[in-house]
Amino acid sequence: MKALIPTGDAAEPVAPAEVPEPVPGPGEALVKVEAFSVNRGETFKLEAPAPGDRPGKDIAGLVVQPAADGTGPAGFARVVGHPMGGGWAEFAAVPTTALAVLPDAVSTLQAAALPLAGLTALRLLRAAGPVPGRRVLLTGASGGVGHYVTELAAAAGAEVTAVTRDAARGARLRELGAAEIVHDVADAVGPYDVVLESTGGTAFPAALARLARRGTLVWFGQASRTPVTLDFFDFFAGPESAVIRHFHYLDAGTPLDADLAALVRLTAGGRLHPEIGRVADWADTAATLTDLRERRIRGKAVLTVS
């Protein structure tokens, strides 16, 4: 089958290749991939790929071989999946615990834009605790996670302040329910009950300083790729006492298939709106990766496989 494999070349980070079709394990379904989306974190990994790495975590398509153990979707079911790799290909073997069936109301393109960003947002808000009536500061809000967090948190009754340097993204986040848009953490007026921080570097201590006393900061990314430096005594000029929680979206108490199904239900019901910034043929993946890295794409980039 055809697949995209890492090259280690920044100018063209992936290239098409012929690879063996995957052989599913007992608890895996073979999915014919019809579309996949690209996550920024995947572009980071492509800078220095490990031997045997195969990118692709967000896919949608058709089950062509159900799992041998009888679990998961039936044959020819339309599905969204979140394998841990190998999704940028014509076929992918996906654990049935990482698949959800798609209703007619959710398109393949919409579904491909859901998994990693949607799962992160859903589980991040659960980690933050109840948000109705609470003030929430969200940094690095320009991407897919920021989109879904804003929409879900606002719908749950939170007052969301989103930090984005992109004016167009800010306008869209307002449409999704953000109460306030700022272009720098320094412009956010606290205190906030919850801070969701994904930028790192100097943004982290600036966001922490705007946290309410005994508030919670959930650290879920470091998009700036700059380490964080904290001064113990700075807390006395800010929250005094606070909880700082490191968050990883795969460390959750709910299974992937259940949470994928929840995202699908929210989308089908018009309560979550996947935003697709670009649809392209997978032959254009290398150019799409470059544009994504240079932030020329607003919304998710979805590639169709044919």
Side-chain angles (χ1 to χ4, degrees):
M1 68 171 185
K2 294 178 182 177
L4 295 169
I5 61 171
T7 65
D9 180 358
E12 191 171 352
V14 293
E18 292 287 336
V19 302
E21 187 175 300
V23 178
E28 295 180 325
L30 186 65
V31 176
K32 183 181 186 300
V33 179
E34 296 178 346
F36 63 83
S37 69
V38 179
N39 297 289
R40 194 155 179 259
E42 290 175 303
T43 69
F44 293 162
K45 288 191 69 175
L46 288 174
E47 293 173 5
D53 266 1
R54 288 269 308 281
K57 290 188 173 186
D58 289 3
I59 69 166
L62 194 70
V63 172
V64 292
Q65 182 179 320
D69 66 1
T71 62
F76 304 109
R78 295 177 60 243
V79 292
V80 59
H82 189 55
M84 291 299 101
W88 296 2
E90 290 183 299
F91 296 92
V94 186
T96 57
T97 53
L99 286 171
V101 174
L102 297 175
D104 291 342
V106 179
S107 72
T108 299
L109 296 181
Q110 287 177 306
L114 278 174
L116 193 147
L119 289 166
T120 300
L122 186 67
R123 293 174 166 186
L124 182 64
L125 287 170
R126 288 177 183 158
V131 296
R134 306 182 80 187
R135 300 193 74 214
V136 176
L137 176 64
L138 171 65
T139 69
S142 298
V145 175
H147 171 128
Y148 293 138
V149 166
T150 298
E151 190 165 16
L152 292 172
E159 181 185 317
V160 180
T161 295
V163 184
T164 173
R165 296 186 184 278
D166 188 316
R169 291 302 298 160
R172 178 59 177 147
L173 291 171
R174 274 200 180 277
E175 293 175 354
L176 294 169
E180 185 178 11
I181 303 297
V182 296
H183 300 302
D184 192 288
V185 178
D187 298 327
V189 180
Y192 294 94
D193 303 295
V194 176
V195 170
L196 306 175
E197 212 296 289
S198 65
T199 306
T202 58
F204 189 110
L208 179 64
R210 284 150 179 79
L211 188 63
R213 183 180 298 181
R214 303 189 188 95
T216 299
L217 184 150
V218 185
W219 186 13
F220 71 100
Q222 192 162 290
S224 69
R225 310 180 80 175
T226 303
V228 170
T229 300
L230 292 178
D231 186 332
F232 175 84
F233 296 100
D234 284 348
F235 282 78
F236 294 102
E240 293 197 14
S241 298
V243 173
I244 298 177
R245 174 175 176 176
H246 182 268
F247 170 88
H248 182 229
Y249 83 104
L250 288 178
D251 183 18
T254 49
L256 284 171
D257 55 352
D259 285 348
L260 283 171
L263 294 169
V264 169
R265 285 195 303 273
L266 289 166
T267 303
R271 297 171 62 191
L272 199 64
H273 299 83
E275 188 169 45
I276 300 170
R278 174 180 297 178
V279 178
D281 184 270
W282 73 330
D284 298 321
T285 301
T288 300
L289 292 173
T290 299
D291 287 347
L292 184 67
R293 186 176 61 240
E294 296 178 7
R295 300 179 182 271
R296 290 199 287 256
I297 299 175
R298 298 190 180 104
K300 294 287 284 183
V302 177
L303 288 297
T304 57
V305 180
S306 58

